[in-house]
Amino acid sequence: MKQEFIDKYDTFLFDCDGVLWLGTQPIVGAIEVVEQLLAHKKQVLFVTNNSTKSREQYAKKFAQLGFKGVTPDNIFGSAYATAVYLKQVRNISKAFVIGESGLQSELESEGITVLGGADPALDRPIAPEDYDQIRPDPTIEAVVSGLDHKFNYLKIAHAQAHLEQDSTLFVATNIDSTFPTNGRLFPGAGTIAAALSCCSGRTPMTMGKPSPQMMDAIKAKTHFDPNRALMIGDRLNTDIEFGNEGGLSTLLVLSGVATKEQAEAAVELQKPDYIVSSIADLL
Ligand SMILES: O=C(O)[C@H](O)[C@H](O)COP(=O)(O)O
Ligand SMILES: [Mg+2]
């Protein structure tokens, strides 16, 4: 691990997709970087906008990919930040969810009843009889949208109906437009939130990076000195902006799949403190 980073920082916040892994493939050098930081007794936190997994599910993924010493307490996903905000700030008890099992279990862990989510009953095309049954449910206090690889018309029709009620909150776990995996960019959670915005005419509150709700969720569980903390990410408008907003130092990893030109153009905006072409450059 480069001595400069060891000397200057006590806390390292890592983005996941595009920095530590792409899908189920660890990025070269990522396991060693985390291992060496933990060996130097550094505080290592993982901050991901990917709402498809809970902290427990992420801890399993870290272990399966070969990362050692990562526990759920060091992991902060947008699913967790959303659950904490809805329960502890808005005291929500029932929500309709477009998202996967990780989001559902984080919400249920906070005592929120979930409709939709990973329920297989909605994994089908809309049928003629559905049009008469889909109605706003006054007991639904929030509609939550996250990354859902089984997103479909039936789910968005239910969500739209509940959002006809002004009292129903509209929350997106994150609005990343794309999702980096398998060396390419695929539709991100923001694509789903945008579709729901289009048909409901409403704009969601966002919980993931760079929103303050994510930092609130982290600070509610851990303590660190922002002046001795480094945020490491592959996205300027989420990771680097999140670090800048929090008063942390920032490091941009260009190995994401963003084009070099895109990155250089945006660097002017967010001015990361460091730019590397791969996480392995920290070694
Ligand atoms: O679409 C998404 O949800 C994002 O692309 C993805 O989740 C980003 O995850 P992160 O890079 O914050 O780990
Ligand atoms: Mg990323």
Side-chain angles (χ1 to χ4, degrees), residues 206-256:
T206 305
M207 299 292 119
K209 299 167 288 184
S211 84
Q213 276 76 27
M214 180 64 103
M215 190 60 86
D216 294 346
I218 296 170
K219 289 198 168 164
K221 280 249 171 186
T222 67
H223 300 288
F224 64 88
D225 173 2
N227 302 311
R228 290 196 52 87
L230 180 65
M231 175 72 212
I232 299 165
D234 67 322
R235 294 212 159 143
L236 287 141
N237 60 354
T238 57
D239 308 313
I240 304 306
E241 189 176 330
F242 178 71
N244 289 342
E245 295 288 323
L248 286 66
S249 298
T250 57
L251 182 147
L252 177 70
V253 180
L254 281 179
S255 72

Side-chain angles (χ1 to χ4, degrees), residues 105-117:
S105 69
E106 289 288 13
L107 292 167
E108 288 169 346
S109 307
E110 287 288 331
I112 296 172
T113 303
V114 169
L115 290 191

